[in-house]
Amino acid sequence: MDKPRINYLLQKYIDGSVSDSEKQELLDLYKSTNLDDAVYSDDRESVSERILLRLNKEIEQEKRKNTFFKPWIIGSAAAVILVVFGIYIINRQVVDPKIIAKQPAEKEVIVPGTNVAVLTLGNGKKIALTGTTTGKLAVQGGTIITRNAAGQISYKVIADSKDNEITFNTITTPMGGQFRVTLPDGSNVWLNAASSLKYPSRFEGSERHVELHGEAYFEIFKNKNSPFTVTAENTNIKVLGTHFNVMAYKDEPAVATTLLEGSVSLSSKSTHVMLAPGQQAVAYFNSENIILHEVNVEDAVAWKNGYFSFRKQNIRAAMNKIARWYNVDVEYSGNVNDKFLGGTVSRSENITELLNYVELTGIAKFKIEGRRIKVICK
């Protein structure tokens, strides 16, 4: 079995970038390795094999679409459609005309998130960071705030400015939003959905301090004379110059700080730890301790790089990510506590397709009603 090639083609299939020839190659590999039988072995929960089964059905259906349909076939198909009420054939719904007349209005389309945020200035003025507007946004506290062509905002201190007042800005992303900001010291921060970052219009003194709610990835400009500190719910983080991710949503059980580069000093309540690259510190809201883990740091910053990573995640944690990015509510039924996922999916994926991939694990089914997703576990 050529697993590396299969995995490569599977990822392209999931991302939607697979060509027709690669799709056929994947199917040929599928047939030659007898994965049909493997699905009914001890490895029946393999996500990759389930995707291959789905691919096989898609291509077979695609072939059937391009063949001549005899009258008896059409009659049989119509009868089946009437029974199951809504069978789909690759990107095309075949429905009896009478049923079409009875269908409700078109459902609301749930789209992935985008680069959008609101900047609140020290004087309370709010600036919507949407669309493609670029250039100078505001001047405050001797600092010019601009937005570049890439969509991020940045700060530039005005030399010899007579206005030396330091004000505090807050950048906030909604559900279904993300944004990047370059802070007055040159540090870069990427905000995930449903997050906010409060920071001064200019850093002065022996410390550069910001306050985070939600999730952000930091690339800090090194300044040994002025440590960079982050308050994230029950956790305080102190660095000189480093790359790290902080996940501090109030609806999660803990604050998770993951270090990619440099070093981080972290404290929570009465506990203090030092992180090394490749480690994650977890500070639970209901505990005095901080637990250190060796992790794959790419999982922590997957959101910044444009995809979901569900590696070893329970379904609640995975659905929290999906809910924030697609701005939907989630409802559960059945036993969800022992259901764990794996793999990665693009954050630009249509939500229906994304949920279809998750369904291939066999641990849950999904039903979309407006902007609510019902998760049905066995």
mmCIF file of all heavy atoms in Angstrom, residues 236 304 320 328:
data_model
loop_
_atom_site.group_PDB
_atom_site.id
_atom_site.type_symbol
_atom_site.label_atom_id
_atom_site.label_comp_id
_atom_site.label_asym_id
_atom_site.label_seq_id
_atom_site.Cartn_x
_atom_site.Cartn_y
_atom_site.Cartn_z
ATOM 1 N N ASN A 236 -0.691 34.786 33.594
ATOM 2 C CA ASN A 236 0.201 35.899 33.276
ATOM 3 C C ASN A 236 1.435 35.354 32.560
ATOM 4 O O ASN A 236 2.068 34.414 33.031
ATOM 5 C CB ASN A 236 0.614 36.637 34.550
ATOM 6 C CG ASN A 236 -0.562 37.282 35.246
ATOM 7 O OD1 ASN A 236 -1.290 38.079 34.651
ATOM 8 N ND2 ASN A 236 -0.769 36.947 36.513
ATOM 9 N N LYS A 304 -4.109 29.986 12.550
ATOM 10 C CA LYS A 304 -3.393 31.104 11.937
ATOM 11 C C LYS A 304 -2.960 30.764 10.519
ATOM 12 O O LYS A 304 -2.906 31.639 9.646
ATOM 13 C CB LYS A 304 -2.171 31.462 12.785
ATOM 14 C CG LYS A 304 -1.199 32.437 12.136
ATOM 15 C CD LYS A 304 0.060 32.573 12.942
ATOM 16 C CE LYS A 304 1.128 33.300 12.163
ATOM 17 N NZ LYS A 304 1.749 32.504 11.102
ATOM 18 N N ASN A 320 -16.343 23.719 19.154
ATOM 19 C CA ASN A 320 -16.122 25.096 19.621
ATOM 20 C C ASN A 320 -15.346 25.885 18.569
ATOM 21 O O ASN A 320 -15.654 27.052 18.283
ATOM 22 C CB ASN A 320 -15.346 25.103 20.941
ATOM 23 C CG ASN A 320 -16.218 24.770 22.132
ATOM 24 O OD1 ASN A 320 -17.448 24.744 22.036
ATOM 25 N ND2 ASN A 320 -15.599 24.498 23.265
ATOM 26 N N VAL A 328 -21.827 30.061 14.384
ATOM 27 C CA VAL A 328 -23.025 29.241 14.546
ATOM 28 C C VAL A 328 -23.150 28.784 16.002
ATOM 29 O O VAL A 328 -22.194 28.849 16.774
ATOM 30 C CB VAL A 328 -22.979 27.987 13.634
ATOM 31 C CG1 VAL A 328 -23.018 28.387 12.174
ATOM 32 C CG2 VAL A 328 -21.748 27.131 13.929
#
